[in-house]
Amino acid sequence: MKIVYPVIFTKLPEGGYMAYVPDLDINTQGDDLPETIAMARDAIGLVGIDMQDDGKPFPVPSEHVDHAAGDVVSLVDVDLLAYRRANEQRTVRRNVTLPSWLNAAANEAGLNVSAILQTALKQQLNFS
């Protein structure tokens, strides 16, 4: 699921930018505009997956946002599925069936079967 919200970017007197997402009432900042855009995407992603997890509806994105002269207003999108996948580090336990001889050989070689399975699944699914 992708969500898109307008973001107001304000140049800060001390340097860098502040990003404000009025529809979600969140702020973040960065050292330069590219970093601030990335920080806004991250903030929207965090709030978005929290809202999904809590079963809350997403606010309808505003078509117009009030902003000061000199501010930059841009749409920022977040693919929540990709964001969750990239940021959720929780592991799950899963039973795997192996032939006894293969399990013994892996143990004897000191191999981490879980790590090998993760690598193989990522390759099979074309995840980097």
Side-chain angles (χ1 to χ4, degrees):
M1 170 183 199
K2 285 191 178 187
I3 56 176
V4 179
Y5 285 102
V7 180
I8 303 168
F9 297 96
T10 304
K11 191 165 182 69
L12 299 172
E14 64 273 13
Y17 287 83
M18 180 187 70
Y20 175 58
V21 187
D23 295 319
L24 301 175
D25 196 27
I26 55 175
N27 290 305
T28 189
Q29 67 183 53
D31 293 334
D32 54 30
L33 197 51
E35 180 180 291
T36 309
I37 293 168
M39 295 298 288
R41 182 169 283 117
D42 189 49
I44 293 168
L46 284 170
V47 170
I49 61 173
D50 267 353
M51 292 175 74
Q52 261 186 341
D53 291 349
D54 293 342
K56 294 180 181 175
F58 293 101
V60 175
S62 297
E63 290 185 19
H64 173 77
V65 291
D66 292 328
H67 61 282
D71 286 349
V72 174
V73 178
S74 181
L75 296 173
V76 175
D77 69 326
V78 179
D79 180 332
L80 290 178
L81 181 61
Y83 183 85
R84 185 182 294 274
R85 187 182 305 129
N87 291 285
E88 190 174 83
Q89 299 299 315
R90 179 178 63 95
T91 59
V92 294
R93 187 164 190 78
R94 181 160 189 156
N95 291 331
V96 177
T97 303
L98 298 173
S100 179
W101 65 267
L102 187 56
N103 186 57
N107 286 341
E108 190 174 306
L111 298 177
N112 181 334
V113 175
S114 180
I116 292 169
L117 178 58
Q118 287 180 49
T119 300
L121 283 171
K122 287 176 183 176
Q123 287 174 346
Q124 187 70 28
L125 297 168
N126 295 317
F127 292 153
S128 52

